[in-house]
Amino acid sequence: MTESSALHAGLHIALPELARTFRDPWWIVGSAAMALIGVPEIAPQDIDVLCSRDDALRLQAAWAVHADGDYRPQDDARFRSTFARFTHLPMPLEVMGDLDVMTPEGWRPLRVLEDAAVDIGGHAVRVPTPAEQQRIFLLFGRPKDLAKAARVAAFMEDRHVA
């Protein structure tokens, strides 16, 4: 199964549960969001879901048997959230409730300021706009995120030229 088909298959399975469980605004972020807006040659390894702390706790309760309790995210000193990773889908799903990012100014909550809806099997999935994805990757500041920000910038430039 390709990353793209695993992403879509994972979302097809997850979205009905997310719709039932979540009560607050939420977004797909990271590489999965890049793929969903059409950035070429993106191979997401997981589905990152940004949501409220309460929604993250609700999903943890609903999918408790599917949680990977041994998994620890990389750079956990740079990020803090109500986090869980679920591995029962074709692509792992990571939920981050009330994600904060350590910046030179201290801890800052991650807020999606601009988003758009992407239709996935009849479900409207919210993703940050390309410019917002670039801003988020720059805020994260790790080398891999800076590379993603550059890819999003190139994607936006290509769209304006075409």
mmCIF file of all heavy atoms in Angstrom, residues 33-83:
data_model
loop_
_atom_site.group_PDB
_atom_site.id
_atom_site.type_symbol
_atom_site.label_atom_id
_atom_site.label_comp_id
_atom_site.label_asym_id
_atom_site.label_seq_id
_atom_site.Cartn_x
_atom_site.Cartn_y
_atom_site.Cartn_z
ATOM 1 N N ALA A 33 -1.356 16.783 6.022
ATOM 2 C CA ALA A 33 -2.024 17.981 5.509
ATOM 3 C C ALA A 33 -1.387 18.428 4.197
ATOM 4 O O ALA A 33 -2.083 18.854 3.268
ATOM 5 C CB ALA A 33 -1.989 19.093 6.542
ATOM 6 N N MET A 34 -0.063 18.329 4.114
ATOM 7 C CA MET A 34 0.622 18.681 2.865
ATOM 8 C C MET A 34 0.110 17.811 1.725
ATOM 9 O O MET A 34 -0.196 18.312 0.637
ATOM 10 C CB MET A 34 2.139 18.498 3.017
ATOM 11 C CG MET A 34 2.801 19.482 3.950
ATOM 12 S SD MET A 34 4.565 19.075 4.224
ATOM 13 C CE MET A 34 5.257 19.455 2.617
ATOM 14 N N ALA A 35 0.007 16.511 1.970
ATOM 15 C CA ALA A 35 -0.480 15.588 0.944
ATOM 16 C C ALA A 35 -1.923 15.912 0.561
ATOM 17 O O ALA A 35 -2.284 15.877 -0.621
ATOM 18 C CB ALA A 35 -0.360 14.148 1.430
ATOM 19 N N LEU A 36 -2.747 16.249 1.545
ATOM 20 C CA LEU A 36 -4.162 16.506 1.272
ATOM 21 C C LEU A 36 -4.390 17.768 0.443
ATOM 22 O O LEU A 36 -5.395 17.854 -0.273
ATOM 23 C CB LEU A 36 -4.949 16.579 2.578
ATOM 24 C CG LEU A 36 -5.091 15.255 3.324
ATOM 25 C CD1 LEU A 36 -5.765 15.466 4.677
ATOM 26 C CD2 LEU A 36 -5.844 14.219 2.489
ATOM 27 N N ILE A 37 -3.488 18.750 0.530
ATOM 28 C CA ILE A 37 -3.651 19.949 -0.293
ATOM 29 C C ILE A 37 -2.967 19.808 -1.651
ATOM 30 O O ILE A 37 -3.066 20.701 -2.476
ATOM 31 C CB ILE A 37 -3.162 21.228 0.419
ATOM 32 C CG1 ILE A 37 -1.663 21.189 0.673
ATOM 33 C CG2 ILE A 37 -3.974 21.495 1.672
ATOM 34 C CD1 ILE A 37 -1.061 22.536 1.071
ATOM 35 N N GLY A 38 -2.267 18.696 -1.868
ATOM 36 C CA GLY A 38 -1.701 18.435 -3.183
ATOM 37 C C GLY A 38 -0.229 18.713 -3.357
ATOM 38 O O GLY A 38 0.262 18.729 -4.492
ATOM 39 N N VAL A 39 0.509 18.929 -2.263
ATOM 40 C CA VAL A 39 1.955 19.089 -2.397
ATOM 41 C C VAL A 39 2.506 17.772 -2.963
ATOM 42 O O VAL A 39 2.245 16.709 -2.399
ATOM 43 C CB VAL A 39 2.613 19.436 -1.048
ATOM 44 C CG1 VAL A 39 4.134 19.499 -1.186
ATOM 45 C CG2 VAL A 39 2.065 20.752 -0.501
ATOM 46 N N PRO A 40 3.221 17.826 -4.082
ATOM 47 C CA PRO A 40 3.657 16.572 -4.716
ATOM 48 C C PRO A 40 4.763 15.861 -3.937
ATOM 49 O O PRO A 40 5.532 16.486 -3.209
ATOM 50 C CB PRO A 40 4.166 17.027 -6.089
ATOM 51 C CG PRO A 40 4.523 18.460 -5.917
ATOM 52 C CD PRO A 40 3.618 19.004 -4.845
ATOM 53 N N GLU A 41 4.801 14.549 -4.133
ATOM 54 C CA GLU A 41 5.863 13.686 -3.622
ATOM 55 C C GLU A 41 6.051 13.782 -2.112
ATOM 56 O O GLU A 41 7.165 13.790 -1.609
ATOM 57 C CB GLU A 41 7.173 13.986 -4.351
ATOM 58 C CG GLU A 41 7.074 13.745 -5.843
ATOM 59 C CD GLU A 41 8.337 14.115 -6.589
ATOM 60 O OE1 GLU A 41 9.429 14.091 -5.978
ATOM 61 O OE2 GLU A 41 8.229 14.432 -7.780
ATOM 62 N N ILE A 42 4.937 13.856 -1.400
ATOM 63 C CA ILE A 42 4.947 13.826 0.063
ATOM 64 C C ILE A 42 4.569 12.418 0.491
ATOM 65 O O ILE A 42 3.600 11.858 -0.010
ATOM 66 C CB ILE A 42 3.949 14.852 0.652
ATOM 67 C CG1 ILE A 42 4.402 16.265 0.317
ATOM 68 C CG2 ILE A 42 3.785 14.679 2.147
ATOM 69 C CD1 ILE A 42 5.733 16.656 0.927
ATOM 70 N N ALA A 43 5.325 11.861 1.413
ATOM 71 C CA ALA A 43 5.069 10.507 1.900
ATOM 72 C C ALA A 43 4.836 10.546 3.409
ATOM 73 O O ALA A 43 5.756 10.287 4.197
ATOM 74 C CB ALA A 43 6.240 9.589 1.553
ATOM 75 N N PRO A 44 3.614 10.908 3.839
ATOM 76 C CA PRO A 44 3.373 10.965 5.282
ATOM 77 C C PRO A 44 3.548 9.594 5.926
ATOM 78 O O PRO A 44 3.230 8.567 5.331
ATOM 79 C CB PRO A 44 1.934 11.458 5.409
ATOM 80 C CG PRO A 44 1.340 11.375 4.057
ATOM 81 C CD PRO A 44 2.438 11.221 3.065
ATOM 82 N N GLN A 45 4.067 9.608 7.138
ATOM 83 C CA GLN A 45 4.255 8.374 7.891
ATOM 84 C C GLN A 45 3.147 8.175 8.925
ATOM 85 O O GLN A 45 3.023 7.115 9.513
ATOM 86 C CB GLN A 45 5.620 8.381 8.583
ATOM 87 C CG GLN A 45 6.770 8.506 7.614
ATOM 88 C CD GLN A 45 6.808 7.391 6.595
ATOM 89 O OE1 GLN A 45 6.851 6.229 6.951
ATOM 90 N NE2 GLN A 45 6.748 7.741 5.318
ATOM 91 N N ASP A 46 2.385 9.255 9.167
ATOM 92 C CA ASP A 46 1.295 9.178 10.132
ATOM 93 C C ASP A 46 0.305 10.297 9.837
ATOM 94 O O ASP A 46 0.558 11.153 8.998
ATOM 95 C CB ASP A 46 1.810 9.273 11.576
ATOM 96 C CG ASP A 46 2.695 10.475 11.813
ATOM 97 O OD1 ASP A 46 2.454 11.542 11.211
ATOM 98 O OD2 ASP A 46 3.644 10.370 12.608
ATOM 99 N N ILE A 47 -0.818 10.255 10.514
ATOM 100 C CA ILE A 47 -1.853 11.278 10.404
ATOM 101 C C ILE A 47 -1.809 12.067 11.703
ATOM 102 O O ILE A 47 -2.109 11.525 12.768
ATOM 103 C CB ILE A 47 -3.247 10.638 10.207
ATOM 104 C CG1 ILE A 47 -3.268 9.753 8.962
ATOM 105 C CG2 ILE A 47 -4.321 11.734 10.151
ATOM 106 C CD1 ILE A 47 -4.492 8.848 8.866
ATOM 107 N N ASP A 48 -1.403 13.327 11.611
ATOM 108 C CA ASP A 48 -1.323 14.191 12.789
ATOM 109 C C ASP A 48 -2.627 14.964 12.923
ATOM 110 O O ASP A 48 -3.023 15.673 11.995
ATOM 111 C CB ASP A 48 -0.152 15.163 12.672
ATOM 112 C CG ASP A 48 1.189 14.469 12.728
ATOM 113 O OD1 ASP A 48 1.332 13.506 13.507
ATOM 114 O OD2 ASP A 48 2.105 14.888 11.996
ATOM 115 N N VAL A 49 -3.260 14.845 14.077
ATOM 116 C CA VAL A 49 -4.523 15.526 14.346
ATOM 117 C C VAL A 49 -4.310 16.507 15.490
ATOM 118 O O VAL A 49 -3.926 16.110 16.593
ATOM 119 C CB VAL A 49 -5.638 14.518 14.705
ATOM 120 C CG1 VAL A 49 -6.932 15.243 15.027
ATOM 121 C CG2 VAL A 49 -5.839 13.507 13.579
ATOM 122 N N LEU A 50 -4.552 17.771 15.213
ATOM 123 C CA LEU A 50 -4.474 18.826 16.208
ATOM 124 C C LEU A 50 -5.893 19.107 16.692
ATOM 125 O O LEU A 50 -6.786 19.358 15.876
ATOM 126 C CB LEU A 50 -3.872 20.085 15.591
ATOM 127 C CG LEU A 50 -3.785 21.313 16.486
ATOM 128 C CD1 LEU A 50 -2.805 21.077 17.631
ATOM 129 C CD2 LEU A 50 -3.377 22.526 15.654
ATOM 130 N N CYS A 51 -6.099 19.049 18.006
ATOM 131 C CA CYS A 51 -7.435 19.230 18.565
ATOM 132 C C CYS A 51 -7.331 19.797 19.974
ATOM 133 O O CYS A 51 -6.239 20.090 20.452
ATOM 134 C CB CYS A 51 -8.194 17.895 18.571
ATOM 135 S SG CYS A 51 -7.445 16.631 19.622
ATOM 136 N N SER A 52 -8.461 19.927 20.616
ATOM 137 C CA SER A 52 -8.480 20.385 22.004
ATOM 138 C C SER A 52 -8.047 19.255 22.934
ATOM 139 O O SER A 52 -8.095 18.075 22.568
ATOM 140 C CB SER A 52 -9.884 20.855 22.385
ATOM 141 O OG SER A 52 -10.763 19.741 22.467
ATOM 142 N N ARG A 53 -7.660 19.610 24.128
ATOM 143 C CA ARG A 53 -7.291 18.618 25.140
ATOM 144 C C ARG A 53 -8.475 17.694 25.427
ATOM 145 O O ARG A 53 -8.317 16.480 25.511
ATOM 146 C CB ARG A 53 -6.836 19.323 26.420
ATOM 147 C CG ARG A 53 -6.452 18.364 27.532
ATOM 148 C CD ARG A 53 -6.007 19.124 28.802
ATOM 149 N NE ARG A 53 -5.510 18.207 29.794
ATOM 150 C CZ ARG A 53 -6.301 17.510 30.623
ATOM 151 N NH1 ARG A 53 -7.598 17.635 30.572
ATOM 152 N NH2 ARG A 53 -5.761 16.690 31.503
ATOM 153 N N ASP A 54 -9.673 18.272 25.571
ATOM 154 C CA ASP A 54 -10.852 17.449 25.869
ATOM 155 C C ASP A 54 -11.126 16.441 24.766
ATOM 156 O O ASP A 54 -11.441 15.275 25.041
ATOM 157 C CB ASP A 54 -12.089 18.333 26.089
ATOM 158 C CG ASP A 54 -12.024 19.116 27.386
ATOM 159 O OD1 ASP A 54 -11.216 18.770 28.280
ATOM 160 O OD2 ASP A 54 -12.795 20.091 27.510
ATOM 161 N N ASP A 55 -11.004 16.870 23.500
ATOM 162 C CA ASP A 55 -11.231 15.934 22.400
ATOM 163 C C ASP A 55 -10.155 14.852 22.366
ATOM 164 O O ASP A 55 -10.445 13.677 22.090
ATOM 165 C CB ASP A 55 -11.296 16.671 21.067
ATOM 166 C CG ASP A 55 -12.635 17.351 20.845
ATOM 167 O OD1 ASP A 55 -13.598 17.086 21.603
ATOM 168 O OD2 ASP A 55 -12.727 18.157 19.890
ATOM 169 N N ALA A 56 -8.912 15.221 22.650
ATOM 170 C CA ALA A 56 -7.839 14.218 22.699
ATOM 171 C C ALA A 56 -8.136 13.184 23.775
ATOM 172 O O ALA A 56 -7.966 11.970 23.552
ATOM 173 C CB ALA A 56 -6.491 14.889 22.943
ATOM 174 N N LEU A 57 -8.601 13.631 24.923
ATOM 175 C CA LEU A 57 -8.942 12.693 26.001
ATOM 176 C C LEU A 57 -10.124 11.813 25.617
ATOM 177 O O LEU A 57 -10.144 10.607 25.915
ATOM 178 C CB LEU A 57 -9.243 13.456 27.291
ATOM 179 C CG LEU A 57 -8.032 14.148 27.934
ATOM 180 C CD1 LEU A 57 -8.476 15.053 29.077
ATOM 181 C CD2 LEU A 57 -7.004 13.128 28.398
ATOM 182 N N ARG A 58 -11.110 12.381 24.924
ATOM 183 C CA ARG A 58 -12.261 11.575 24.472
ATOM 184 C C ARG A 58 -11.810 10.496 23.487
ATOM 185 O O ARG A 58 -12.256 9.354 23.553
ATOM 186 C CB ARG A 58 -13.320 12.471 23.839
ATOM 187 C CG ARG A 58 -14.225 13.170 24.838
ATOM 188 C CD ARG A 58 -15.411 13.851 24.158
ATOM 189 N NE ARG A 58 -15.090 15.170 23.666
ATOM 190 C CZ ARG A 58 -15.076 16.267 24.429
ATOM 191 N NH1 ARG A 58 -15.373 16.196 25.714
ATOM 192 N NH2 ARG A 58 -14.779 17.432 23.901
ATOM 193 N N LEU A 59 -10.912 10.871 22.546
ATOM 194 C CA LEU A 59 -10.439 9.877 21.576
ATOM 195 C C LEU A 59 -9.595 8.817 22.271
ATOM 196 O O LEU A 59 -9.692 7.632 21.944
ATOM 197 C CB LEU A 59 -9.648 10.555 20.454
ATOM 198 C CG LEU A 59 -9.301 9.639 19.279
ATOM 199 C CD1 LEU A 59 -10.567 9.112 18.604
ATOM 200 C CD2 LEU A 59 -8.419 10.360 18.271
ATOM 201 N N GLN A 60 -8.790 9.218 23.241
ATOM 202 C CA GLN A 60 -8.008 8.238 23.995
ATOM 203 C C GLN A 60 -8.919 7.230 24.685
ATOM 204 O O GLN A 60 -8.616 6.036 24.711
ATOM 205 C CB GLN A 60 -7.125 8.938 25.028
ATOM 206 C CG GLN A 60 -5.944 9.661 24.417
ATOM 207 C CD GLN A 60 -5.136 10.420 25.452
ATOM 208 O OE1 GLN A 60 -5.347 10.330 26.650
ATOM 209 N NE2 GLN A 60 -4.167 11.197 24.975
ATOM 210 N N ALA A 61 -10.036 7.683 25.219
ATOM 211 C CA ALA A 61 -10.976 6.774 25.872
ATOM 212 C C ALA A 61 -11.653 5.861 24.847
ATOM 213 O O ALA A 61 -11.786 4.654 25.069
ATOM 214 C CB ALA A 61 -12.018 7.571 26.659
ATOM 215 N N ALA A 62 -12.042 6.431 23.706
ATOM 216 C CA ALA A 62 -12.748 5.645 22.685
ATOM 217 C C ALA A 62 -11.848 4.591 22.050
ATOM 218 O O ALA A 62 -12.303 3.498 21.717
ATOM 219 C CB ALA A 62 -13.308 6.576 21.611
ATOM 220 N N TRP A 63 -10.580 4.919 21.862
ATOM 221 C CA TRP A 63 -9.654 4.024 21.177
ATOM 222 C C TRP A 63 -8.580 3.478 22.123
ATOM 223 O O TRP A 63 -7.485 3.124 21.686
ATOM 224 C CB TRP A 63 -8.974 4.756 20.023
ATOM 225 C CG TRP A 63 -9.808 4.879 18.778
ATOM 226 C CD1 TRP A 63 -11.035 4.340 18.542
ATOM 227 C CD2 TRP A 63 -9.442 5.579 17.589
ATOM 228 N NE1 TRP A 63 -11.459 4.669 17.291
ATOM 229 C CE2 TRP A 63 -10.502 5.427 16.677
ATOM 230 C CE3 TRP A 63 -8.327 6.321 17.219
ATOM 231 C CZ2 TRP A 63 -10.471 5.991 15.400
ATOM 232 C CZ3 TRP A 63 -8.308 6.885 15.954
ATOM 233 C CH2 TRP A 63 -9.363 6.717 15.053
ATOM 234 N N ALA A 64 -8.873 3.364 23.380
ATOM 235 C CA ALA A 64 -7.867 2.950 24.373
ATOM 236 C C ALA A 64 -7.187 1.637 23.992
ATOM 237 O O ALA A 64 -5.975 1.490 24.166
ATOM 238 C CB ALA A 64 -8.507 2.838 25.755
ATOM 239 N N VAL A 65 -7.937 0.694 23.455
ATOM 240 C CA VAL A 65 -7.347 -0.613 23.117
ATOM 241 C C VAL A 65 -6.382 -0.519 21.931
ATOM 242 O O VAL A 65 -5.601 -1.428 21.707
ATOM 243 C CB VAL A 65 -8.429 -1.678 22.829
ATOM 244 C CG1 VAL A 65 -9.294 -1.906 24.049
ATOM 245 C CG2 VAL A 65 -9.274 -1.301 21.636
ATOM 246 N N HIS A 66 -6.443 0.581 21.184
ATOM 247 C CA HIS A 66 -5.588 0.745 20.000
ATOM 248 C C HIS A 66 -4.383 1.648 20.250
ATOM 249 O O HIS A 66 -3.587 1.880 19.345
ATOM 250 C CB HIS A 66 -6.398 1.325 18.842
ATOM 251 C CG HIS A 66 -7.611 0.531 18.496
ATOM 252 N ND1 HIS A 66 -7.558 -0.772 18.057
ATOM 253 C CD2 HIS A 66 -8.925 0.853 18.552
ATOM 254 C CE1 HIS A 66 -8.777 -1.219 17.842
ATOM 255 N NE2 HIS A 66 -9.631 -0.247 18.136
ATOM 256 N N ALA A 67 -4.262 2.172 21.467
ATOM 257 C CA ALA A 67 -3.186 3.118 21.761
ATOM 258 C C ALA A 67 -1.845 2.399 21.867
ATOM 259 O O ALA A 67 -1.752 1.300 22.417
ATOM 260 C CB ALA A 67 -3.485 3.866 23.055
ATOM 261 N N ASP A 68 -0.810 3.034 21.318
ATOM 262 C CA ASP A 68 0.555 2.543 21.443
ATOM 263 C C ASP A 68 1.166 3.246 22.657
ATOM 264 O O ASP A 68 1.760 4.323 22.534
ATOM 265 C CB ASP A 68 1.338 2.852 20.169
ATOM 266 C CG ASP A 68 2.774 2.364 20.214
ATOM 267 O OD1 ASP A 68 3.229 1.905 21.297
ATOM 268 O OD2 ASP A 68 3.454 2.442 19.174
ATOM 269 N N GLY A 69 0.998 2.653 23.819
ATOM 270 C CA GLY A 69 1.446 3.259 25.063
ATOM 271 C C GLY A 69 2.951 3.343 25.218
ATOM 272 O O GLY A 69 3.457 4.096 26.046
ATOM 273 N N ASP A 70 3.695 2.594 24.402
ATOM 274 C CA ASP A 70 5.154 2.607 24.489
ATOM 275 C C ASP A 70 5.789 3.688 23.609
ATOM 276 O O ASP A 70 6.964 3.992 23.763
ATOM 277 C CB ASP A 70 5.722 1.249 24.078
ATOM 278 C CG ASP A 70 5.308 0.151 25.043
ATOM 279 O OD1 ASP A 70 5.149 0.453 26.250
ATOM 280 O OD2 ASP A 70 5.117 -0.996 24.591
ATOM 281 N N TYR A 71 5.010 4.244 22.696
ATOM 282 C CA TYR A 71 5.560 5.217 21.749
ATOM 283 C C TYR A 71 5.805 6.556 22.439
ATOM 284 O O TYR A 71 4.964 7.048 23.181
ATOM 285 C CB TYR A 71 4.601 5.412 20.571
ATOM 286 C CG TYR A 71 5.117 6.388 19.539
ATOM 287 C CD1 TYR A 71 6.019 5.975 18.567
ATOM 288 C CD2 TYR A 71 4.739 7.722 19.564
ATOM 289 C CE1 TYR A 71 6.515 6.870 17.633
ATOM 290 C CE2 TYR A 71 5.230 8.626 18.630
ATOM 291 C CZ TYR A 71 6.110 8.184 17.669
ATOM 292 O OH TYR A 71 6.595 9.074 16.751
ATOM 293 N N ARG A 72 6.960 7.143 22.177
ATOM 294 C CA ARG A 72 7.284 8.480 22.664
ATOM 295 C C ARG A 72 7.666 9.339 21.466
ATOM 296 O O ARG A 72 8.568 8.970 20.705
ATOM 297 C CB ARG A 72 8.460 8.450 23.658
ATOM 298 C CG ARG A 72 8.170 7.692 24.925
ATOM 299 C CD ARG A 72 7.130 8.419 25.787
ATOM 300 N NE ARG A 72 6.677 7.607 26.886
ATOM 301 C CZ ARG A 72 5.536 6.923 26.928
ATOM 302 N NH1 ARG A 72 4.719 6.938 25.901
ATOM 303 N NH2 ARG A 72 5.190 6.221 27.977
ATOM 304 N N PRO A 73 7.007 10.481 21.280
ATOM 305 C CA PRO A 73 7.347 11.337 20.133
ATOM 306 C C PRO A 73 8.759 11.884 20.236
ATOM 307 O O PRO A 73 9.270 12.091 21.335
ATOM 308 C CB PRO A 73 6.317 12.460 20.184
ATOM 309 C CG PRO A 73 5.563 12.305 21.450
ATOM 310 C CD PRO A 73 5.957 11.016 22.101
ATOM 311 N N GLN A 74 9.361 12.120 19.075
ATOM 312 C CA GLN A 74 10.678 12.758 19.048
ATOM 313 C C GLN A 74 10.534 14.201 19.502
ATOM 314 O O GLN A 74 9.470 14.804 19.365
ATOM 315 C CB GLN A 74 11.239 12.744 17.628
ATOM 316 C CG GLN A 74 11.568 11.375 17.115
ATOM 317 C CD GLN A 74 12.097 11.435 15.690
ATOM 318 O OE1 GLN A 74 12.056 12.450 15.032
ATOM 319 N NE2 GLN A 74 12.594 10.305 15.223
ATOM 320 N N ASP A 75 11.567 14.747 20.021
ATOM 321 C CA ASP A 75 11.606 16.161 20.406
ATOM 322 C C ASP A 75 10.526 16.517 21.413
ATOM 323 O O ASP A 75 9.940 17.597 21.343
ATOM 324 C CB ASP A 75 11.486 17.072 19.177
ATOM 325 C CG ASP A 75 12.607 16.846 18.183
ATOM 326 O OD1 ASP A 75 13.755 16.642 18.640
ATOM 327 O OD2 ASP A 75 12.347 16.873 16.978
ATOM 328 N N ASP A 76 10.263 15.609 22.365
ATOM 329 C CA ASP A 76 9.195 15.885 23.325
ATOM 330 C C ASP A 76 9.536 17.047 24.258
ATOM 331 O O ASP A 76 8.666 17.597 24.916
ATOM 332 C CB ASP A 76 8.770 14.644 24.099
ATOM 333 C CG ASP A 76 9.884 14.022 24.913
ATOM 334 O OD1 ASP A 76 11.041 14.438 24.772
ATOM 335 O OD2 ASP A 76 9.582 13.108 25.690
ATOM 336 N N ALA A 77 10.790 17.491 24.264
ATOM 337 C CA ALA A 77 11.139 18.688 25.037
ATOM 338 C C ALA A 77 10.730 19.962 24.288
ATOM 339 O O ALA A 77 10.627 21.023 24.881
ATOM 340 C CB ALA A 77 12.633 18.714 25.328
ATOM 341 N N ARG A 78 10.487 19.832 22.991
ATOM 342 C CA ARG A 78 10.106 20.983 22.156
ATOM 343 C C ARG A 78 8.595 21.126 22.045
ATOM 344 O O ARG A 78 8.085 22.201 21.716
ATOM 345 C CB ARG A 78 10.715 20.809 20.767
ATOM 346 C CG ARG A 78 10.435 21.947 19.842
ATOM 347 C CD ARG A 78 11.590 22.160 18.882
ATOM 348 N NE ARG A 78 11.317 23.202 17.928
ATOM 349 C CZ ARG A 78 11.351 24.498 18.192
ATOM 350 N NH1 ARG A 78 11.619 24.927 19.382
ATOM 351 N NH2 ARG A 78 11.095 25.384 17.257
ATOM 352 N N PHE A 79 7.873 20.044 22.286
ATOM 353 C CA PHE A 79 6.420 20.028 22.139
ATOM 354 C C PHE A 79 5.790 19.447 23.395
ATOM 355 O O PHE A 79 6.348 18.543 24.009
ATOM 356 C CB PHE A 79 6.009 19.160 20.941
ATOM 357 C CG PHE A 79 6.627 19.593 19.644
ATOM 358 C CD1 PHE A 79 7.739 18.948 19.143
ATOM 359 C CD2 PHE A 79 6.098 20.654 18.936
ATOM 360 C CE1 PHE A 79 8.318 19.346 17.952
ATOM 361 C CE2 PHE A 79 6.674 21.067 17.745
ATOM 362 C CZ PHE A 79 7.785 20.410 17.247
ATOM 363 N N ARG A 80 4.623 19.960 23.736
ATOM 364 C CA ARG A 80 3.855 19.336 24.807
ATOM 365 C C ARG A 80 2.386 19.393 24.418
ATOM 366 O O ARG A 80 1.917 20.379 23.842
ATOM 367 C CB ARG A 80 4.134 19.994 26.159
ATOM 368 C CG ARG A 80 3.669 21.418 26.277
ATOM 369 C CD ARG A 80 3.987 22.010 27.642
ATOM 370 N NE ARG A 80 3.488 23.379 27.703
ATOM 371 C CZ ARG A 80 3.814 24.253 28.626
ATOM 372 N NH1 ARG A 80 4.653 23.915 29.584
ATOM 373 N NH2 ARG A 80 3.300 25.471 28.608
ATOM 374 N N SER A 81 1.688 18.302 24.728
ATOM 375 C CA SER A 81 0.267 18.204 24.393
ATOM 376 C C SER A 81 -0.313 16.996 25.120
ATOM 377 O O SER A 81 0.408 16.206 25.723
ATOM 378 C CB SER A 81 0.080 18.030 22.882
ATOM 379 O OG SER A 81 0.550 16.754 22.465
ATOM 380 N N THR A 82 -1.616 16.875 25.016
ATOM 381 C CA THR A 82 -2.280 15.632 25.420
ATOM 382 C C THR A 82 -2.150 14.729 24.196
ATOM 383 O O THR A 82 -2.862 14.894 23.210
ATOM 384 C CB THR A 82 -3.746 15.900 25.795
ATOM 385 O OG1 THR A 82 -3.759 16.835 26.880
ATOM 386 C CG2 THR A 82 -4.443 14.626 26.210
ATOM 387 N N PHE A 83 -1.194 13.807 24.259
ATOM 388 C CA PHE A 83 -0.755 13.052 23.084
ATOM 389 C C PHE A 83 -1.123 11.585 23.196
ATOM 390 O O PHE A 83 -1.050 10.989 24.274
ATOM 391 C CB PHE A 83 0.774 13.169 22.952
ATOM 392 C CG PHE A 83 1.332 12.381 21.804
ATOM 393 C CD1 PHE A 83 1.390 12.928 20.542
ATOM 394 C CD2 PHE A 83 1.770 11.073 21.983
ATOM 395 C CE1 PHE A 83 1.897 12.195 19.472
ATOM 396 C CE2 PHE A 83 2.275 10.329 20.927
ATOM 397 C CZ PHE A 83 2.337 10.905 19.662
#
